[in-house]
Amino acid sequence: SQQGEEDPQALSIQEGENATMNCSYKTSINNLQWYRQNSGRGLVHLILIRSNEREKHSGRLRVTLDTSKKSSSLLITASRAADTASYFCATDAGAQKLVFGQGTRLTINP
Amino acid sequence: KAGVTQTPRYLIKTRGQQVTLSCSPISGHRSVSWYQQTPGQGLQFLFEYFSETQRNKGNFPGRFSGRQFSNSRSEMNVSTLELGDSALYLCASSDGWNTEAFFGQGTRLTVV
């Protein structure tokens, strides 16, 4: 079963614009992780945010976590064609496993 | 450090056969977990191993099994393959509680 729900399911923007993806989940978590996947290949780890953190940055990525609303967002600034991919959030609620959302398909148009 | 390595990258098998997939975690990582990704069901947890012990198992039939060796390398086996087992199988490794899980490139299994 999927704990996370991602919104939107698909997003198409122009190169240089910012892209925002949202993730909601259902149970208390230890951390939430964001991944990128290109064309059915492996998952590339982007960022981990722990339950006691509210915001983290990594390069052009900004992740927020609101545990009271059980939601997270991923912001990609100044998008590039190479950012075209599917993005997944995954929650770690203990039990030694990640529970994934269905993903957001991001397309960057030149 | 080398990343998570999965072999083989691609497999084509016939219904009824069995298959073994391999995963070598990042050096020093003792936790290895497996996931199945399909267009219909998305990413689903199969099982997790730590120090050769299975600590958790997902909701998959008994045809799916795995093991972990003393060097932390892991294998998963699927017996009596069905068409619905066609999927991308992903392995992840991590070095402890509440830390990042890093994934390999996956094994694309096609059952015909």
Side-chain angles (χ1 to χ4, degrees), chain A residues 21-23 25 27-32 34 47-58 61-75, chain B residues 98:
Chain A
M21 288 158 268
N22 302 296
C23 169
Y25 57 92
T27 66
S28 296
I29 60 172
N30 296 321
N31 65 67
L32 185 147
W34 284 92
I47 201 162
L48 176 151
I49 186 165
R50 294 187 173 86
S51 60
N52 62 348
E53 299 172 313
R54 291 298 166 257
E55 186 171 313
K56 284 188 84 169
H57 297 256
S58 177
L61 306 181
R62 173 180 169 255
V63 167
T64 62
L65 178 65
D66 187 334
T67 53
S68 67
K69 295 181 180 177
K70 291 187 170 58
S71 68
S72 174
S73 67
L74 170 67
L75 169 67
Chain B
N98 206 10

Side-chain angles (χ1 to χ4, degrees), chain A residues 1 3 35 40 45 49-50 63 73 75 92 94 103 107:
Chain A
S1 64
Q3 156 152 245
Y35 292 87
H45 190 275
I49 186 165
R50 294 187 173 86
V63 167
S73 67
L75 169 67
D92 177 354
T107 302

Side-chain angles (χ1 to χ4, degrees), chain A residues 1-2 30-31 33 35 37 39-43 45 48 50 88 92 94-102, chain B residues 9 33 35 37 39-45 48 55-56 88 90 97-106 108:
Chain A
S1 64
Q2 304 289 337
N30 296 321
N31 65 67
Q33 303 183 48
Y35 292 87
Q37 185 177 43
S39 302
R41 300 179 67 182
L43 298 172
H45 190 275
L48 176 151
R50 294 187 173 86
F88 294 90
D92 177 354
Q96 301 89 37
K97 69 177 184 180
L98 293 175
V99 179
F100 284 85
Q102 289 288 354
Chain B
R9 291 290 308 280
S33 51
Y35 296 81
Q37 186 179 28
Q41 298 298 317
L43 281 148
Q44 294 196 300
F45 170 76
E48 189 263 359
R55 297 194 296 183
N56 199 358
L88 180 66
L90 292 160
W97 178 76
N98 206 10
T99 60
E100 291 86 348
F102 296 99
F103 283 79
Q105 285 294 307
R108 172 75 62 184

Side-chain angles (χ1 to χ4, degrees), chain B residues 23-67:
Chain B
C23 172
S24 293
I26 292 170
S27 178
H29 287 192
R30 291 193 290 166
S31 171
V32 174
S33 51
W34 290 88
Y35 296 81
Q36 180 196 65
Q37 186 179 28
T38 59
Q41 298 298 317
L43 281 148
Q44 294 196 300
F45 170 76
L46 281 158
F47 25 66
E48 189 263 359
Y49 288 88
F50 183 87
S51 293
E52 302 179 65
T53 300
Q54 184 183 91
R55 297 194 296 183
N56 199 358
K57 188 178 192 302
N59 189 24
F60 280 82
R63 300 184 298 105
F64 291 81
S65 63
R67 60 178 175 169

